[in-house]
Amino acid sequence: MTEADAPPIVFVHGTRFSAGQWSSQVTALQEDFPVVAVDLPGHGTRSAQPWSLIAATEIIASAVDSLDRGPALVVGHSLGGYASLEFARRCPKQLRGLVLAGASASTRGPWATPYRWVAGLVPRLPADRLARWNDRLLRRHYPPEVVGATIRSGYAFHTLPTAWGEVLGRFDAGSMRHVAAPVLILNGEKDTVFRSGERDFARAHPNARIELIPRARHLANFDDPAAFTDAVRRFARHLPPGS
């Protein structure tokens, strides 16, 4: 793969986080690929912007355009993965490849019930208490160079009910029929909830495959940053040339 062939890469963060979630991946990949991580509506630098899936897809599309290298590889985690599926449906000509990380569970049916409960509970808890709990959790499990940018950017708990309220009931394996580009379903080996539909998602697409990060859970890019980055790099290098 020549420098001219290297696909641009856009990273899309998960629930309550920000572009800082991808600091390890952006640092590792930026010498070989044009790369950017975005803040979704209501998150990070866009904390005051109301959430909507349409706005999320517009942000991803603007990030692709900003790299000025044609269709991009979009890497979405959890909420960002479902937003990336919506982007794939709305903006197929801007997509060269898709990595769904922790986003291969149906958001329809009984699976969604506990997430609806959590989305309803979060607004009743003080945001500063939730932030302290998240800070302690991340610092306990991960080194500062992996989670420091996420902690500094803060958390979007105020956006969670609206964001998940729109995502729940909307996506399942059938959503893959709207994805025209190759797909890598990249999950933590121990992320049992979001792996629940990975085989259905893969079967629903003619050019999708599953790869697991050994021993990792839902935050696989935190659990093993090097392995996650390497999986994205290998997938990017084998994408067909962009138009």
Side-chain angles (χ1 to χ4, degrees), residues 79-138:
L79 174 65
Y82 295 112
S84 298
L85 274 173
E86 185 69 7
F87 170 77
R89 184 177 75 85
R90 291 179 176 270
C91 307
K93 293 182 179 180
Q94 288 184 281
L95 188 68
R96 187 164 164 184
L98 177 64
V99 176
L100 291 178
S104 54
S106 172
T107 69
R108 302 176 186 269
W111 179 92
T113 300
Y115 287 87
R116 293 189 189 280
W117 180 81
V118 170
L121 176 65
V122 164
R124 304 178 190 177
L125 301 173
D128 59 343
R129 183 185 300 175
L130 290 169
R132 288 194 300 271
W133 181 82
N134 271 261
D135 286 351
R136 288 196 297 268
L137 179 70
L138 294 178

Side-chain angles (χ1 to χ4, degrees), residues 4-90:
D5 292 331
I9 304 176
V10 176
F11 285 96
V12 189
H13 63 80
T15 301
R16 78 188 182 280
F17 288 156
S18 67
Q21 176 181 352
W22 302 109
S23 58
S24 296
Q25 283 68 48
V26 170
T27 299
L29 294 170
Q30 61 188 357
E31 290 188 6
D32 297 318
F33 301 90
V35 58
V36 67
V38 302
D39 286 329
L40 290 173
H43 298 74
T45 60
R46 293 188 170 93
S47 179
Q49 181 178 346
W51 165 271
S52 75
L53 271 175
I54 291 177
T57 61
E58 290 172 349
I59 287 169
I60 298 170
S62 294
V64 175
D65 288 341
S66 74
L67 294 173
D68 197 25
R69 291 285 294 272
L73 167 59
V74 177
V75 182
H77 174 257
S78 195
L79 174 65
Y82 295 112
S84 298
L85 274 173
E86 185 69 7
F87 170 77
R89 184 177 75 85
R90 291 179 176 270

